């Protein structure tokens, strides 16, 4: 009993010292990591210039996670919007979207770039940024619907679907009527459906497209039709299902990240 009693004190002191030392070490690590993070952003910017596309993609993804802390990388990410590698372009657009409002001026400028790839990815990034300045963003999307490059129009139509500008309904209907790209039309039909009662003037157009030769346009029109009729909450078996590509055909629809595939 005597041995046990006297052994407790040094053990308690030792445990207390270990805990105190651990807290000091943890506090010091926090300060070190903060400085390391700042250095890492600069290193990631250098990595964006790597000849290896996987390295560029990885750096862009990490910058996306840093969000507003990666503001200094904006010009470099804008440059990557025209990269030869599609995955790198998409990651750069996602990183700009993650940075948010600070990237908006440069993204809007890139939407008018002479390089079609940069314009397309700028339209994607503009949607990824979210509603930071809706009037300017919507105006940019609507203007981009006239772009000669199909990929630009697809991402612009996606932006219109995201923002759902009700005042632009006549413009949306006009583009659906004249544009031959199925994905432009599908995104815009979804935008109409999302508007609900406000888009009732588009109902005749939507009904006509229920018989469109393109199966995917039919599908989008049917979903919009159900939404306009107020029965979008119908049982799943009564809602249109995604069309299944015929065996032996190659899908040309948007990828999971929202990027349109190349037409065969």
């Amino acid at each position: 009993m005597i041995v046990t009693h006297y052994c407790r004190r040094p053990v308690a002191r030792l445990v207390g010292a270990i805990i105190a030392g651990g807290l000091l070490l943890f506090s010091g690590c926090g300060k070190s990591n903060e400085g390391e993070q700042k250095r890492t952003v600069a290193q990631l910017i250098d990595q964006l210039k790597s000849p290896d596309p996987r390295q560029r993609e990885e750096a862009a993804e990490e910058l996306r996670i840093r969000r507003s802390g990666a503001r200094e990388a904006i010009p470099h990410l804008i440059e990557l919007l025209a990269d030869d590698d599609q995955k790198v372009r998409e990651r750069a657009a996602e990183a700009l979207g993650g940075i948010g409002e600070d990237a908006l001026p440069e993204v809007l400028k890139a939407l008018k770039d002479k390089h079609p790839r940069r314009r397309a990815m700028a339209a994607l990034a503009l949607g990824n940024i979210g509603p930071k300045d809706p009037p300017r963003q919507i105006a940019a999307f609507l203007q981009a619907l006239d772009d000669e490059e199909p990929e630009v129009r697809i991402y612009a139509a996606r932006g219109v679907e995201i923002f759902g500008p009700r005042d632009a309904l006549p413009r949306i209907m006009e583009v659906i009527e004249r544009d031959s790209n199925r994905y432009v039309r599908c995104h815009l039909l979804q935008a109409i459906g999302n508007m609900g009662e406000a888009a009732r003037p588009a109902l005749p157009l939507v009904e006509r497209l229920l018989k469109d030769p393109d199966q995917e346009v039919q599908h989008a029109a049917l979903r919009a039709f159900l939404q306009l009729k107020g029965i979008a909450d119908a049982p799943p078996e009564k809602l249109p299902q995604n069309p299944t590509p015929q065996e032996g055909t190659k899908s040309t629809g948007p990828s999971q990240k929202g990027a349109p595939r190349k037409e065969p």
Side-chain angles (χ1 to χ4, degrees), residues 108-130:
L108 287 169
K109 182 178 177 181
L111 195 53
K112 298 180 180 180
D113 193 87
K114 64 180 181 181
H115 200 302
R117 284 180 182 170
R118 184 168 288 119
R119 295 199 306 273
M121 291 298 102
L124 174 60
L126 189 60
N128 291 343
I129 287 174

Side-chain angles (χ1 to χ4, degrees), residues 22-180:
L23 290 173
L24 288 173
L25 179 62
F26 180 79
S27 176
C29 286
K31 294 180 180 179
S32 174
N33 286 341
E34 185 179 353
E36 182 181 346
Q37 179 171 335
K38 292 180 180 178
R39 291 194 301 273
T40 301
V41 171
Q43 291 170 355
L44 289 172
I45 291 174
D46 289 337
Q47 189 175 331
L48 292 176
K49 305 170 186 176
S50 169
D52 185 349
R54 289 174 298 182
Q55 290 292 317
R56 300 195 299 275
E57 180 184 353
E58 180 183 296
E61 173 62 18
E62 182 63 26
L63 288 167
R64 179 190 67 81
I65 296 172
R66 297 298 169 87
R67 305 183 76 83
S68 60
R71 287 188 295 269
E72 60 192 284
I74 291 173
H76 307 280
L77 291 167
I78 292 290
E79 187 67 23
L80 283 188
L81 294 180
D83 195 273
D84 290 335
D85 188 280
Q86 180 173 335
K87 288 184 178 179
V88 173
R89 297 196 299 270
E90 291 177 3
R91 295 301 175 273
E94 291 169 4
L96 289 164
I99 292 171
E101 189 171 4
D102 289 328
L104 186 56
E106 290 300 318
V107 169
L108 287 169
K109 182 178 177 181
L111 195 53
K112 298 180 180 180
D113 193 87
K114 64 180 181 181
H115 200 302
R117 284 180 182 170
R118 184 168 288 119
R119 295 199 306 273
M121 291 298 102
L124 174 60
L126 189 60
N128 291 343
I129 287 174
K132 302 301 181 182
D133 188 350
R136 291 178 65 196
Q137 289 171 279
I138 291 170
F141 285 132
L142 294 175
Q143 183 176 357
L145 289 174
D146 290 329
D147 198 284
E148 61 183 13
E149 182 66 26
E151 193 174 9
V152 178
R153 301 199 307 275
I154 290 171
Y155 285 124
R158 170 183 174 270
V160 171
E161 177 187 344
I162 292 171
F163 282 74
R166 298 183 178 184
D167 293 344
L169 181 61
R171 167 76 165 142
I172 293 171
M173 294 170 61
E174 179 261 322
V175 174
I176 292 175
E177 290 270 31
R178 65 168 169 77
D179 201 302
S180 61

